[in-house]
Amino acid sequence: MDDLRKLVRIVTNRGQKNFPLLELKNKSTNKEVDLFNKIKSGQCETDQQAAALMYKSKPNDPRIKMLKSRLRKKLLNHLFFLDFTDQSLKISHRYEQQSLTLLYQARTLMNEGENATSAGLLRTALDFAQEAEFTQIVIDCYQLLLENYSLSASNKDFYKTKNILAKYRAIAALEQEAADLYYTSRLELNKSVSAKNKYLEKLKVVVQKLEELWKKTHSATIFDYYYKLNISLHELTGNFAEILKTTALSEELLQKGKINKKRFDDRYNKFINVYAYLRVKEYEKGLQAAASFVQVFNRSTNNWFAFMENYFLLAMHAGVYEQASKLYAEVMRNTFYKKISRSAQERWSLYGTYLYFVNPSDEVLKQSNYRKLISQVPEYSKDKQGFNVAILILQYMYFVRAQDIDALGYRIESLKKYAGRHLTHQLSKRNLLLFKMLMLLVKEDLDYTQSKKKGETLLQRLKTTPVPGDAYAEIEIIPYEHLWTLILEMLKE
């Protein structure tokens, strides 16, 4: 009871006069709660809307400025009471937040002279931080304990803690070195394609250095840096077979307890594993893996929709269109579909339109943006980067099926224009080869026999041209070899 009496005294003496949180459950609302609710419902998206709705005034009104300031402060206070028990979150977030909360409380109690109570909280924070290997939080806890023991003249505990702290500081120094390497690389990899190319040789050296640092320390933080950059390196060079090895090895290390389960993102490992199967064209293995992994992703999250994209594309590339239709329908029925980003919805619409071509049904036609995509020739845009070619090809197939030579002639000009501007990189060879094959169709007046005969050389070249690394690749929703077969079948019919 003694510790509770002390806490009551501190809260009584230091408690704020005005309630520091939003009283969201009260039936009677004040201005702050009213503005909160209006922002939440989407009524207030601009300063102009907020000022008009709250005070029938303009944004420069001092009242709306003060109201926004009060709301901001209270919302920041709510950050201390967020719920991190959601299973869709990374488990490491829960441990980190719990450790930081206890650390903050312990520091506050020390400032109030309550060292004994503070020490108990610090030990609990230390347990959380050590379990999840948050080295810097561990150091902060030990430093406060060191201060605590010095004030309470705990000689034995002080020197024992000092020795432990020295070991963690040595690990932290290596983690900082790794962090500098990692974040510098991330910066370089966020630049243009040519800049990424120039950095690739340095990236190989960085990955090797991070691996050495991890083997030296067995730090969860360093392993995370090494793992992510290793995946990026292989992805950028199109070496997806190595990604499969990396994901398998990481899973093995996880099962053997050699990497921390509280820190390693096993869901991402499963996601990238399925993606790598897609890129190495091991479709059957990929579909088996996707079927076994899908349950670990929460259906209400963006991660589930991203995982389902790879699952769907595996089915499309494997030619199991009935399964692709079931996956597409499952995505469309998910009530959270409307909450994913506009670009993600556009991708699914495009997938649905391709699906309609290979496995037509009224349901797919209704759910996809088929007519809109067919009617509008896309101008190159960064929001559709990776899908501009897919849209042009889709439109081309539509007019092949309709045997509309005039429209195809216009699309040929669009293909030439796009290729001249955006497919000059050597890693765009597959797109260029397909474009040549599509142009051949028009040249041969959609004649099946001549198109098949004269397109054979280009088809063989296409089969031997590998898909480039992710940084440069346009998405092949259906492999180009399969597309050519599909188009020839249209001509034959």
Side-chain angles (χ1 to χ4, degrees):
M1 199 66 185
D2 190 44
D3 59 333
L4 285 177
R5 285 193 302 102
K6 291 173 181 176
L7 286 171
V8 168
R9 176 182 58 79
I10 292 169
V11 170
T12 302
N13 292 341
R14 302 288 183 203
Q16 297 182 31
K17 291 178 182 178
N18 296 319
F19 194 60
L21 299 172
L22 292 169
E23 299 180 61
L24 297 173
K25 292 185 179 179
N26 277 5
K27 290 183 180 179
S28 58
T29 62
N30 57 25
K31 283 283 189 183
E32 293 146 23
V33 174
D34 191 21
L35 179 57
F36 172 89
N37 288 328
K38 281 183 168 60
I39 294 171
K40 183 180 174 183
S41 66
Q43 295 177 65
C44 285
E45 295 189 352
T46 64
D47 288 340
Q48 286 81 0
Q49 289 174 331
L53 284 168
M54 299 306 298
Y55 295 109
K56 295 182 180 178
S57 63
K58 293 186 178 179
N60 59 0
D61 189 321
R63 292 173 299 174
I64 192 65
K65 290 181 179 179
M66 288 299 296
L67 178 59
K68 284 168 58 184
S69 176
R70 294 198 305 273
L71 178 59
R72 185 178 291 106
K73 286 178 182 177
K74 289 191 175 181
L75 288 173
L76 289 171
N77 288 336
H78 274 274
L79 296 181
F80 290 107
F81 305 99
L82 299 181
D83 179 11
F84 288 95
T85 60
D86 186 344
Q87 293 302 308
S88 65
L89 292 174
K90 288 171 65 176
I91 191 171
S92 60
H93 289 172
R94 184 160 75 246
Y95 279 81
E96 184 178 22
Q97 288 300 137
Q98 189 66 44
S99 304
L100 290 170
T101 297
L102 290 164
L103 183 63
Y104 169 79
Q105 292 169 346
R107 174 77 267 182
T108 303
L109 287 169
M110 281 185 69
N111 289 343
E112 292 295 320
E114 298 300 336
N115 295 335
T117 309
S118 174
L121 290 176
L122 285 170
R123 291 188 194 99
T124 307
L126 197 53
D127 288 342
F128 277 105
Q130 286 177 323
E131 193 173 348
E133 294 185 56
F134 287 111
T135 306
Q136 190 53 56
I137 300 176
V138 170
I139 289 172
D140 291 340
C141 288
Y142 273 127
Q143 284 182 166
L144 282 182
L145 280 170
L146 205 63
E147 183 181 337
N148 199 309
Y149 294 146
S150 71
L151 293 171
S152 57
S154 301
N155 194 67
K156 184 179 177 182
D157 289 334
F158 179 88
Y159 284 105
K160 181 182 177 182
T161 300
K162 190 177 178 182
N163 290 334
I164 296 171
L165 186 55
K167 293 176 184 177
Y168 275 101
R169 282 173 174 160
I171 294 171
L174 294 175
E175 286 185 351
Q176 188 57 59
E177 181 184 349
D180 289 344
L181 291 169
Y182 174 76
Y183 289 113
T184 300
S185 295
R186 283 261 67 94
L187 173 69
E188 295 299 329
L189 294 178
N190 281 330
K191 293 181 180 178
S192 66
V193 170
S194 60
K196 288 176 186 178
N197 273 333
K198 289 177 183 176
Y199 190 71
L200 277 178
E201 289 305 314
K202 288 183 181 178
L203 181 61
K204 292 175 186 176
V205 176
V206 168
V207 169
Q208 186 178 350
K209 177 63 177 175
L210 288 173
E211 184 180 14
E212 290 169 5
L213 287 170
W214 171 63
K215 288 178 176 177
K216 183 177 180 178
T217 61
H218 297 287
S219 157
T221 300
I222 295 177
F223 181 81
D224 189 49
Y225 295 149
Y226 162 64
Y227 169 84
K228 288 176 181 175
L229 283 187
N230 195 29
I231 293 286
S232 295
L233 172 63
H234 296 314
E235 195 173 11
L236 286 167
T237 53
N239 196 349
F240 295 98
E242 281 300 317
I243 292 180
L244 285 174
K245 291 180 184 177
T246 299
T247 55
L249 177 61
S250 299
E251 187 65 34
E252 184 184 338
L253 290 171
L254 187 67
Q255 297 308 318
K256 289 181 178 178
K258 293 187 177 181
I259 52 179
N260 195 314
K261 289 185 178 182
K262 303 295 188 300
R263 291 291 297 279
F264 183 67
D265 191 349
D266 188 43
R267 277 178 295 203
Y268 176 75
N269 199 54
K270 287 176 167 55
F271 170 84
I272 203 69
N273 173 263
V274 168
Y275 176 63
Y277 273 124
L278 172 65
R279 299 306 294 267
V280 297
K281 302 181 181 180
E282 292 188 24
Y283 305 130
E284 190 175 333
K285 288 182 180 179
L287 286 168
Q288 288 174 359
S292 64
F293 295 161
V294 69
Q295 297 305 320
V296 306
F297 295 89
N298 188 310
R299 289 173 58 85
S300 67
T301 63
N302 289 330
N303 291 338
W304 183 84
F305 286 97
F307 180 83
M308 290 298 284
E309 286 195 46
N310 289 333
Y311 197 173
F312 171 84
L313 289 170
L314 275 166
M316 291 290 280
H317 282 232
V320 284
Y321 301 128
E322 285 299 327
Q323 185 176 2
S325 295
K326 289 176 183 176
L327 294 170
Y328 183 77
E330 189 178 351
V331 170
M332 292 300 111
R333 286 195 300 266
N334 190 325
T335 54
F336 291 93
Y337 177 78
K338 292 180 180 178
K339 294 185 178 180
I340 63 176
S341 69
R342 182 179 60 84
S343 58
Q345 289 185 33
E346 287 180 353
R347 285 198 302 275
W348 277 109
S349 179
L350 185 59
Y351 297 155
T353 310
Y354 267 84
L355 179 61
Y356 179 74
F357 254 94
V358 294
N359 195 35
S361 72
D362 290 340
E363 184 182 1
V364 171
L365 180 61
K366 184 179 177 182
Q367 290 166 340
S368 70
N369 242 350
Y370 182 78
R371 290 184 179 84
K372 182 180 176 184
L373 285 167
I374 295 304
S375 64
Q376 297 176 358
V377 178
E379 289 298 322
Y380 175 77
S381 67
K382 287 193 175 178
D383 343 336
K384 290 184 175 61
Q385 195 170 9
F387 292 94
N388 291 283
V389 170
I391 295 170
L392 286 167
I393 293 168
L394 184 68
Q395 293 171 336
Y396 196 94
M397 289 195 299
Y398 172 81
F399 290 109
V400 168
R401 178 172 281 174
Q403 298 184 52
D404 189 336
I405 295 290
D406 291 337
L408 282 171
Y410 179 57
R411 260 64 194 178
I412 285 294
E413 290 307 312
S414 296
L415 292 179
K416 287 179 179 177
K417 181 181 174 183
Y418 185 87
R421 289 184 180 178
H422 308 294
L423 299 182
T424 53
H425 198 282
Q426 61 170 346
L427 293 173
S428 297
K429 284 181 180 178
R430 285 180 62 82
N431 292 325
L432 289 171
L433 283 168
L434 182 66
F435 279 16
K436 286 179 181 179
M437 293 163 85
L438 297 180
M439 292 172 193
L440 175 68
L441 293 174
V442 176
K443 187 178 178 183
E444 298 301 326
D445 292 325
L446 301 184
D447 182 275
Y448 166 75
T449 305
Q450 290 301 313
S451 296
K452 183 178 181 183
K453 181 182 176 182
K454 294 185 179 179
E456 188 60 31
T457 304
L458 290 168
L459 178 61
Q460 293 308 316
R461 284 176 62 191
L462 184 65
K463 287 179 177 178
T464 57
T465 303
V467 176
D470 183 68
Y472 318 105
E474 286 271 1
I475 302 300
E476 294 184 22
I477 298 172
I478 297 174
Y480 289 167
E481 296 86 346
H482 296 186
L483 269 181
W484 180 245
T485 302
L486 177 64
I487 291 169
L488 289 177
E489 285 299 316
M490 287 183 199
L491 297 185
K492 192 174 182 181
E493 289 169 9

